[in-house]
Amino acid sequence: MATKKKAVTNEHGEAPKNINEHPFYGFNLDEDQIDFVNAILNPENTVVFCNAKAGTGKTTLAIGTANILVQHGEYEGIVYICSAYGENKQGYLPGSITEKSEVYFEPAYQAMIECNMNINTCIDNESMVNQKYGEAYVTLLTHTFLRGTNLKKKVIILDEAQNYTVADLKKTLTRCSDDCKVIVIGHDKQCDLKDKKSSGFVKYIEHFRNHERCEICELTINHRGWLSQFADELED
């Protein structure tokens, strides 16, 4: 992400239909990033896929835009779902579901901090004071524990989607009602699955590509710098 300008303040009134006249947390966005944010804000889009290279800010953009929609009252909350590609081991980790999954949520924490969101009050965590005061509106999950869940009136963010198998993505996407906004983000060149051909990310992009309620985006500029960009260019 490029250098920041002034921070955004409270949101009021109808949500913006595009980001062109919006300060967006003080970030100077490149053209691809603007297109991605606008695709999410577009009320005609129920699903937005984004195949994004490393360092392009995909998680921050997704969470920041989702937060704008929630703060304007368009949706009731954010559900961030990260692939737990080692899910067979996750169930054996000690602690609650939240504690078992904590390791997967660091990108979401960093993104929320970048977007001036208070992680001590906005995250739905039974151990935090936000439960007492009813301020929580962000739920952090891994796809492991989704079976039987119904997701309604939420902005759903599926992160690291290249690490979802076709079955994982089907299980996750079929939890979402039509009144949700679904954002699917990943990087098809950084798949951690043992069998990379089992990834459902690109397959589902092609499945949805021509649907009138879906938009496909790409992010190409690595804002971390030359080292991250050069390392990302090597293919297996």
Side-chain angles (χ1 to χ4, degrees):
M1 205 81 72
T3 56
K4 296 186 76 172
K5 301 177 288 186
K6 64 179 181 179
V8 77
T9 55
N10 293 333
E11 308 286 357
H12 299 284
E14 186 179 354
K17 298 300 186 293
N18 64 70
I19 209 64
N20 300 10
E21 302 298 327
H22 192 283
F24 200 77
Y25 309 97
F27 289 115
N28 291 303
L29 304 182
D30 64 43
E31 291 186 7
D32 287 343
Q33 291 174 327
I34 291 172
D35 288 343
F36 178 41
V37 171
N38 285 342
I40 299 170
L41 291 175
N42 185 346
E44 298 299 316
N45 291 331
T46 301
V47 185
V48 177
F49 284 86
C50 186
N51 193 355
K53 294 183 178 181
T56 52
K58 55 186 176 292
T59 303
T60 300
L61 294 169
I63 287 180
T65 312
N67 189 53
I68 290 172
L69 290 170
V70 171
Q71 294 304 316
H72 280 283
E74 302 287 340
Y75 298 90
E76 294 176 354
I78 300 169
V79 180
Y80 173 91
I81 306 171
C82 190
S83 168
Y85 54 87
E87 67 171 282
N88 59 320
K89 298 180 181 179
Q90 189 180 9
Y92 294 98
L93 294 174
S96 66
I97 290 176
T98 301
E99 290 166 337
K100 292 174 187 288
S101 307
E102 197 78 21
V103 65
Y104 299 100
F105 299 149
E106 187 60 30
Y109 293 141
Q110 293 181 12
M112 286 187 279
I113 292 169
E114 283 288 303
C115 295
N116 307 318
M117 298 166 65
N118 187 341
I119 62 174
N120 294 313
T121 58
C122 70
I123 298 175
D124 188 358
N125 184 324
E126 65 274 8
S127 67
M128 294 183 177
V129 295
N130 53 17
Q131 285 290 320
K132 179 178 179 181
Y133 297 108
E135 298 175 356
Y137 62 93
V138 179
T139 302
L140 305 177
L141 300 171
T142 66
H143 78 277
T144 310
F145 302 105
L146 278 182
R147 185 70 70 188
T149 301
N150 294 313
L151 300 172
K152 298 181 178 180
K153 199 62 178 176
K154 306 287 188 182
V155 183
I156 315 297
I157 301 171
L158 280 59
D159 204 354
E160 301 294 344
Q162 75 277 1
N163 292 326
Y164 290 70
T165 64
V166 173
D168 291 335
L169 270 177
K170 180 176 289 189
K171 176 182 70 174
T172 306
L173 290 169
T174 55
R175 302 304 99 201
C176 304
S177 300
D178 286 351
D179 58 3
C180 291
K181 173 85 70 172
V182 183
I183 309 165
V184 185
I185 53 179
H187 180 8
D188 65 335
K189 303 302 182 185
Q190 288 199 7
C191 180
D192 296 311
L193 298 172
K194 289 183 179 179
D195 179 8
K196 298 188 188 325
K197 293 182 180 179
S198 69
S199 174
F201 181 48
V202 174
K203 294 174 184 176
Y204 259 106
I205 288 177
E206 295 308 315
H207 180 66
F208 275 93
R209 182 172 293 279
N210 295 318
H211 198 285
E212 61 183 5
R213 300 288 293 180
C214 177
E215 189 164 345
I216 313 297
C217 300
E218 291 186 356
L219 299 176
T220 58
I221 299 176
N222 188 324
H223 292 281
R224 290 193 185 119
W226 75 265
L227 174 59
S228 177
Q229 178 175 333
F230 195 68
D232 196 34
E233 290 172 356
L234 179 64
E235 297 190 17
D236 293 342

